[in-house]
Amino acid sequence: MNDTTPDIRIRPGGPADVPAVLDMLDSAVAWMNARGNTEQWGTTPYSLVPGGVERVQRYTTENSPYVAELDGVPVGALVLDSGPSPKMPIAPAAEPERYVRLLICDRRYAGLGIGAALLVRAAEETKRAGVELLRVDCWAGGTGELVAYYERNGFTRTDRFLSGAWPGQVLARRL
């Protein structure tokens, strides 16, 4: 067993990171589908979903993107916004908030703490902005392992919702 922690570097992201983020999203869809999960993100590679490329481009220009790197190679990404997507049936908070709009990690580096490191950075950036509430939403289907992941990273369940037939869970973390 290798119990050394790799040096994960997190930097601000930008438009040049769009191809790497799309690659991570595409590989995540393939990984989920190989495990029998076709409900969370469907079966079409994210880069081929109508509006998918444009969404990632907007994330890198209109929001606050962060990219995790190992040895200069992008291995994860997180996007912070000031609230939930207006396309989701989620009410904005009654106070200033930061909202994780995307958290993705390269599946080849699973288990190295990349997602957790990105969530720590999100909390730091939220506090730096003088905001005390960090929220995220995620797929609440299957065995609930994604919800449990966020709980292990300091978030607490708040509201459940449905986006069509897609079950979701909003989670919050006070800072």
Side-chain angles (χ1 to χ4, degrees):
M1 178 177 152
N2 179 0
D3 53 11
T4 61
T5 302
D7 291 325
I8 299 168
R9 175 180 171 256
I10 299 175
R11 61 169 174 79
D17 296 304
V18 168
V21 173
L22 287 170
D23 285 346
M24 286 182 246
L25 288 163
D26 285 350
S27 67
V29 170
W31 176 79
M32 285 187 265
N33 288 185
R35 295 179 64 211
N37 178 348
T38 59
E39 298 172 15
Q40 185 174 347
W41 286 356
T43 57
T44 303
Y46 197 87
S47 61
L48 300 178
V49 170
V53 172
E54 293 81 8
R55 183 175 303 114
V56 173
Q57 289 170 334
R58 278 194 315 276
Y59 282 164
T60 64
T61 58
E62 297 174 10
N63 301 114
S64 299
Y66 297 92
V67 174
E69 294 181 333
L70 286 175
D71 298 323
V73 176
V75 294
L78 178 137
V79 175
L80 272 180
D81 198 354
S82 60
S85 169
K87 295 181 180 181
M88 296 297 279
I90 302 167
E95 64 184 276
E97 68 177 315
R98 290 297 179 268
Y99 206 94
V100 176
R101 291 283 293 275
L102 174 70
L103 175 63
I104 186 75
C105 299
D106 187 321
R107 293 303 312 162
R108 294 174 294 180
Y109 299 92
L112 297 181
I114 295 162
L118 284 162
L119 289 171
V120 166
R121 179 64 176 263
E124 291 169 353
E125 294 298 329
T126 299
K127 287 168 73 173
R128 186 172 292 127
V131 176
E132 297 176 355
L133 179 63
L134 177 61
R135 292 197 308 160
V136 63
D137 66 78
C138 68
W139 185 61
T143 62
E145 56 192 286
L146 189 52
V147 173
Y149 172 81
Y150 284 108
E151 289 176 322
R152 286 191 308 274
N153 280 279
F155 288 82
T156 302
R157 297 177 199 212
T158 58
D159 304 314
R160 286 188 62 93
F161 65 92
L162 282 175
S163 180
W166 193 87
Q169 176 70 57
V170 178
L171 299 102
R173 181 174 172 195
R174 286 264 162 218
L175 305 169

